[in-house]
Amino acid sequence: MASPTKLSHIVLQTNRRREMIDWYCTVLGAEILYEAERISFISYDDEHHRVAFLDPGPLTERQPDAAGLNHVAFTFGGLYDLIDNYQRLKAIGIRPHRCVNHGVTTSMYYRDPDHNQVELLVDNFTTAVEGKAYMRGRSTADKNPVGVYFDPDEMVARIRNGLKLEELSHIN
């Protein structure tokens, strides 16, 4: 069976299209590639579009307990990229609402203007094989099945003082 080779893009339906475009371009370092009356496309890499915003017209606010997308995640190339981005966003008032070391990843969760969760992360293992082995080796009896919460400013200080990527998966 063939499997996809990558996540191509996500499309978010919103009645706050301009605010969402500005937020995602700021958070992801993206640029607008195309806009029409009710749809816009942005990208932060060489892909023709990574995130699109569709405004089908006036919408009611989404119910907070409605089923649907929990979050979308974007992986940074390295730990320093993640913390540099955290500091850049913090300086302009965009702060994560939750930071979790999941063992396999170190993640910062933000809320976009429509209150969707956006996870910005770095893999804690050098290779995908190591990450998969970690996940397969987890126990259903893990004391912290979701992970360990952390203070991002404390993590930044520890990294600046020499904490290495491979040590992140062992922080509990």
Side-chain angles (χ1 to χ4, degrees), residues 96-146:
H97 69 88
R98 178 172 62 126
C99 296
V100 183
N101 181 332
H102 294 295
V104 72
T105 66
T106 297
S107 304
M108 297 180 181
Y109 292 84
Y110 295 80
R111 292 204 188 278
D112 72 17
D114 275 349
H115 304 286
N116 298 303
Q117 286 192 105
V118 176
E119 177 184 5
L120 304 181
L121 66 93
V122 63
D123 288 315
N124 288 343
F125 293 96
T126 307
T127 68
V129 171
E130 292 171 308
K132 284 183 174 182
Y134 172 86
M135 291 300 286
R136 287 187 182 109
R138 296 193 68 193
S139 167
T140 57
D142 279 355
K143 188 165 100 176
N144 297 311
V146 173

Side-chain angles (χ1 to χ4, degrees), residues 139-156:
S139 167
T140 57
D142 279 355
K143 188 165 100 176
N144 297 311
V146 173
V148 178
Y149 292 92
F150 67 89
D151 177 290
D153 292 315
E154 182 181 316
M155 184 188 78
V156 168

